[in-house]
Amino acid sequence: GEPIRIADVGTGTGCLALALAKALPAAEVTATDLSTDALDLAQENAEALGLAGRITFVSGDGLAPVAGQTFDWLVSNPPYIPDAEWDEVAPNVRDHEPELALRGGHDGLAVLRPVLEGAASVLVPGGWLMVEAAASNAAAAADLARAGGLVEVELIHDFEGHPRFVLAQRTASSV
């Protein structure tokens, strides 16, 4: 009977938070981002879609803005492109998106690693994590989720057949 609680870490323009708030009218959605410019844009997008009152926007790095809270779902589409793959990124993406929103460090996991390692601390028992990763580091991201105490870890492939998403669950017992 209680509303589902969702955290979108690294919301960027807010596309995940907004889509989830729209699809799940009873959901309580918190969207975070390190970039205040991105948060401002996400808030503008929420207002344009009539969802401004449904999403809480919080500035900060990684899981810090939601520390001490718990959620049923933690979602994230963080910067995940490894430095070695940067030159291969299509110009229609690389030239029109801020590097901060795309580049994930030498292995592509610089932003994602702390989210995966700390996800259990902000998920309710039985809560779920779903994050996007590069195909080249999705298996490593899944391993980080396991190392962070999550179970039922699964790699989900994108429409081109590449491993792209990590789905994992916090155990039903306390961490």
Side-chain angles (χ1 to χ4, degrees), residues 17-19 21-25 27 41-55 57:
L18 297 170
K22 183 77 169 174
L24 303 166
L41 180 56
Q43 287 177 310
E44 288 175 25
N45 289 337
E47 290 169 13
L49 294 171
L51 298 169
R54 301 259 334 280
I55 302 169
F57 294 95

Side-chain angles (χ1 to χ4, degrees), residues 85-99 102:
E85 296 177 21
W86 182 246
D87 291 338
E88 299 168 27
V89 175
N92 67 324
V93 174
R94 187 181 60 237
D95 297 344
H96 299 284
E97 297 286 337
E99 274 192 46
L102 299 172

Side-chain angles (χ1 to χ4, degrees), residues 67-140:
Q69 301 176 58
T70 56
F71 298 89
D72 301 290
W73 278 91
L74 173 62
V75 299
S76 185
N77 180 8
Y80 58 73
I81 299 170
D83 290 343
E85 296 177 21
W86 182 246
D87 291 338
E88 299 168 27
V89 175
N92 67 324
V93 174
R94 187 181 60 237
D95 297 344
H96 299 284
E97 297 286 337
E99 274 192 46
L100 180 67
L102 299 172
R103 294 188 81 155
H106 76 281
D107 63 356
L109 297 170
V111 177
L112 193 50
R113 183 177 285 105
V115 172
L116 292 165
E117 291 173 343
S121 70
V122 298
L123 286 170
V124 299
W128 288 91
L129 164 90
M130 183 172 233
V131 297
E132 186 168 356
S136 63
N137 63 27

Side-chain angles (χ1 to χ4, degrees), residues 135-154:
S136 63
N137 63 27
D143 288 342
L144 287 169
R146 284 184 198 93
L150 301 179
V151 297
E152 303 296 329
V153 179
E154 180 182 347

Side-chain angles (χ1 to χ4, degrees), residues 15 33 61 78 94 104 114 118 135 146 161 165 173:
C15 60
D33 206 286
D61 190 13
R94 187 181 60 237
R146 284 184 198 93
F165 306 95
S173 61

